[in-house]
């Protein structure tokens, strides 16, 4: 009887380490959840954008129409400071790239309001993934689309006499990425607080578009009046447009902040905007979806 009871107890002691190992191993399976959530939402944003051709046409056609009409209208009446024989088409080109990125960010963040109505955001928030994955997935998806569309305009640069040296291509791509990332994060912050598309359009008309108008895209910083110049200097888009203009012109430009200053400001703008978006989602997630 003693041997029998010992044999009955013995298997239980052998299974104990297995249970302990399983309990210890469980936390490691949750580590990839952040990357998985980001990748899933990133792919959803990219796929949904390219399935809606109207969004592609609107994001590209409107800025190009602005560029052709305004550039041809002003002609050679305005030249890029520090760039010889550069008319308004050349001067306006970096602003056009920025406008394409801005439109992409606007359209992408409208989907946040639509996802809230459909209940998709609530399902993401209750899923066992960090809430940061929601922000990064949505933002990186729209950033990828904005970067791709901004790069589609670069082949037009040689037609304007803007030859981009090979050693600057990576810098141009990085600057466009920072612009797209920062603008998408900023739009995310506004869209997360709103419950209607019309409300987001009002924000676009009163905040986002004026930011672009006062970014040096339409007129040079040096020639602006004192109060307009001050508003341009506190506008982060000014440094993105100036950075692109520095990189696109072979000899650089004398207008606007220095190139290193542009890199620093755009980097800070991207990081701060992402931090604010993450805090909004973390602090007001479920309450904002009601």
């Amino acid at each position: 009887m003693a041997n029998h009871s010992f044999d009955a107890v013995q298997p239980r002691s052998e299974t104990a380490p297995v249970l302990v190992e399983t309990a210890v191993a469980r936390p490691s399976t949750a580590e990839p959840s952040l990357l998985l959530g980001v990748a899933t939402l990133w792919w959803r944003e990219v796929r949904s954008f390219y399935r809606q051709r109207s969004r592609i046409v609107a994001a590209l056609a409107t800025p190009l129409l602005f560029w052709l009409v305004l550039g041809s209208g002003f002609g050679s009446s305005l030249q890029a400071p520090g760039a010889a024989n550069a008319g308004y088409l050349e001067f306006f080109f970096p602003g056009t790239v920025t406008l394409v990125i801005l439109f992409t960010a606007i359209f992408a963040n409208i989907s946040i309001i639509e996802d809230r109505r459909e209940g998709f955001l609530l399902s993401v928030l209750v899923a066992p993934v960090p809430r940061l994955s929601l922000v990064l997935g949505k933002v990186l998806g729209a950033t990828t689309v904005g970067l791709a569309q901004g790069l589609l305009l670069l082949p037009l640069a040689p037609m304007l006499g803007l030859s981009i040296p090979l050693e600057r291509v990576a810098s141009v791509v990085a600057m466009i990425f920072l612009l797209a990332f920062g603008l998408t994060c900023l739009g995310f912050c506004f869209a997360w607080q709103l419950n209607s598309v019309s409300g987001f359009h009002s924000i676009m008309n009163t905040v986002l578009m004026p930011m672009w108008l006062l970014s040096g895209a339409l007129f040079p910083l040096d020639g602006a009046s004192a109060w307009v110049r001050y508003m341009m200097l506190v506008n982060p888009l000014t440094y993105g447009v100036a950075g692109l203009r520095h990189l696109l012109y072979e000899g650089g430009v004398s207008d606007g902040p220095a190139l290193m200053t542009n890199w620093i400001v755009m980097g800070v703008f991207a990081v701060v905007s992402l931090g604010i978006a993450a805090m909004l989602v973390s602090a007001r997630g479920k309450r904002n979806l009601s």
Side-chain angles (χ1 to χ4, degrees), residues 3 28 31 36 42 47 136 139-140 149 152 172 184 217 263:
N3 292 337
S28 63
E31 292 178 359
L36 179 61
W42 171 84
R47 183 182 59 182
L136 286 177
V139 168
L140 288 177
Q149 292 193 320
L152 285 177
V172 172
T184 305
W263 283 115

Side-chain angles (χ1 to χ4, degrees), residues 36-202:
L36 179 61
V38 171
T40 302
L41 291 172
W42 171 84
W43 175 243
R44 181 177 181 271
E45 287 297 311
V46 173
R47 183 182 59 182
S48 64
F49 185 86
Y50 284 107
R51 282 184 174 180
Q52 301 178 17
R53 297 183 179 180
S54 59
R55 291 174 61 182
I56 302 176
V57 173
L60 284 174
T62 304
L64 285 175
L65 183 62
F66 268 70
W67 176 58
L68 289 174
V69 173
L70 291 178
S72 301
F74 281 100
S76 59
S77 60
L78 178 63
Q79 293 185 350
N85 301 321
Y88 194 71
L89 275 173
E90 293 87 343
F91 175 81
F92 192 25
F93 185 72
T96 304
V97 176
T98 306
L99 187 59
V100 168
I101 298 171
L102 177 62
F103 276 19
T104 302
I106 290 172
F107 292 138
N109 285 300
I110 288 177
S111 68
I112 295 177
I113 302 174
E114 297 173 347
D115 288 342
R116 179 186 293 112
R117 290 177 176 176
E118 297 171 359
F120 176 78
L121 288 185
L122 181 60
S123 64
V124 174
L125 287 174
V126 300
V129 294
R131 290 187 175 181
L132 181 60
S133 63
L134 170 62
V135 181
L136 286 177
K138 299 283 288 186
V139 168
L140 288 177
T143 299
T144 302
V145 175
L147 176 63
Q149 292 193 320
L151 294 178
L152 285 177
L153 296 182
L154 292 185
L156 297 176
M159 299 172 57
L160 301 172
L162 303 177
S163 58
I164 306 175
L166 292 178
E167 62 272 14
R168 291 189 182 181
V169 173
S171 298
V172 172
V173 173
M175 185 63 71
I176 294 177
F177 176 85
L178 287 177
L179 271 167
F181 190 86
L183 281 173
T184 305
C185 288
L186 182 62
F188 186 99
C189 295
F190 289 120
W192 189 258
Q193 304 296 315
L194 301 173
N195 295 317
S196 66
V197 176
S198 59
F200 187 78
H201 279 297
S202 65

